[in-house]
Amino acid sequence: LELHEKTGIKPFWAYSYYYLGTAYHETGAFRKENKLYKSAEKDFPNDPALLYRQAVLALSRGKDKTGDEFMDRYISTLNERFFSEASKADNLGNIYWDAGLLDEAEAYYRQSLSLESDSALRMNNLAYFLIDENINISEGLQLIDKALRLEPDNYHYLDTKGWGLYKNGNYHEALEVLHKSWELKPVYDHELFSHIQEVERALANHSH
């Protein structure tokens, strides 16, 4: 971004701003994050990825009115791209989760699944949320088992199941499922790698 500013050339894509903004957010540098998005708007007005991050920033700081405005603009961009109602609900769930508003996130994930009740993807997204946030691990495992019956070799879904088994204390079975997920992945997946590491540490501590 500094090089682009020096040369006066617009960055190739909005994700140059998106990823830096996410890093600022994760480290609590909210002022820097907000300033960054204002610069980004000049290069990429109404970019959905940037509107997503702006909504997360506003909502996580308790600025509900501003957050709602960004959400409305974000939904408009999804409508222009002909996203389904279930996809839109899923994306809103992601925003609320990233903003730390778990009740709202859960409501949107459940809405998304109710709109596409036979979708393995919607089952997985709700399952992973319920498991990762320790909200309802048993329901999450039931959902992911249903998703895996539809798509048994989906490495994302296997990761969700392995993570749920680990959270339930089934370390050996969890590691087996996570290793299967690892073998099926098309590219490196850091979240999956971190899950395997955590289960291996738990097993090592358990055996001592």
Side-chain angles (χ1 to χ4, degrees), residues 105-126:
E106 182 178 347
Y108 274 110
Y109 288 133
R110 290 191 182 281
Q111 181 185 332
S112 179
L113 180 57
S114 71
L115 290 164
E116 290 181 4
S117 57
D118 295 328
S119 165
L121 174 63
R122 308 300 171 211
M123 293 172 201
N124 172 73
N125 292 351
L126 175 57

Side-chain angles (χ1 to χ4, degrees), residues 57 93 123 138-139 160:
L57 175 61
M123 293 172 201
S138 59
E139 184 188 358
T160 299

Side-chain angles (χ1 to χ4, degrees), residues 31-76:
R31 283 186 182 175
K32 281 186 178 180
E33 185 185 5
N34 191 43
K35 188 179 175 185
L36 178 75
Y37 297 146
K38 284 180 178 172
S39 299
E41 279 187 328
K42 294 169 192 171
D43 286 331
F44 299 97
N46 277 328
D47 183 274
L50 292 173
L51 290 169
Y52 178 103
R53 292 305 319 171
Q54 286 171 299
V56 169
L57 175 61
L59 291 169
S60 62
R61 296 176 77 192
K63 297 183 177 180
D64 294 349
K65 189 180 176 186
T66 308
D68 288 342
E69 286 169 7
F70 283 124
M71 294 273 264
D72 288 342
R73 286 171 62 191
Y74 177 67
I75 291 165
S76 292

Side-chain angles (χ1 to χ4, degrees), residues 25-179:
H25 193 86
E26 294 296 322
T27 53
F30 300 133
R31 283 186 182 175
K32 281 186 178 180
E33 185 185 5
N34 191 43
K35 188 179 175 185
L36 178 75
Y37 297 146
K38 284 180 178 172
S39 299
E41 279 187 328
K42 294 169 192 171
D43 286 331
F44 299 97
N46 277 328
D47 183 274
L50 292 173
L51 290 169
Y52 178 103
R53 292 305 319 171
Q54 286 171 299
V56 169
L57 175 61
L59 291 169
S60 62
R61 296 176 77 192
K63 297 183 177 180
D64 294 349
K65 189 180 176 186
T66 308
D68 288 342
E69 286 169 7
F70 283 124
M71 294 273 264
D72 288 342
R73 286 171 62 191
Y74 177 67
I75 291 165
S76 292
T77 66
L78 299 188
N79 288 335
E80 287 165 11
R81 289 161 174 78
F82 304 105
F83 273 58
S84 69
E85 291 302 313
S87 288
K88 284 189 281 187
D90 228 6
N91 278 280
L92 295 179
N94 293 339
I95 286 175
Y96 279 113
W97 191 5
D98 282 348
L101 300 169
L102 302 187
D103 289 345
E104 291 87 343
E106 182 178 347
Y108 274 110
Y109 288 133
R110 290 191 182 281
Q111 181 185 332
S112 179
L113 180 57
S114 71
L115 290 164
E116 290 181 4
S117 57
D118 295 328
S119 165
L121 174 63
R122 308 300 171 211
M123 293 172 201
N124 172 73
N125 292 351
L126 175 57
Y128 188 79
F129 171 76
L130 294 174
I131 290 165
D132 196 57
E133 291 293 344
N134 302 308
I135 292 168
N136 193 330
I137 294 163
S138 59
E139 184 188 358
L141 283 167
Q142 287 170 9
L143 280 165
I144 202 58
D145 279 339
K146 197 174 172 185
L148 281 165
R149 283 196 289 275
L150 296 168
E151 295 181 35
D153 292 328
N154 187 304
Y155 92 95
H156 282 299
Y157 304 169
L158 287 164
D159 179 26
T160 299
K161 177 162 185 178
W163 194 229
L165 289 167
Y166 162 69
K167 293 259 185 165
N168 243 7
N170 303 334
Y171 299 158
H172 288 285
E173 191 183 350
L175 194 59
E176 193 179 312
V177 173
L178 289 170
H179 277 151

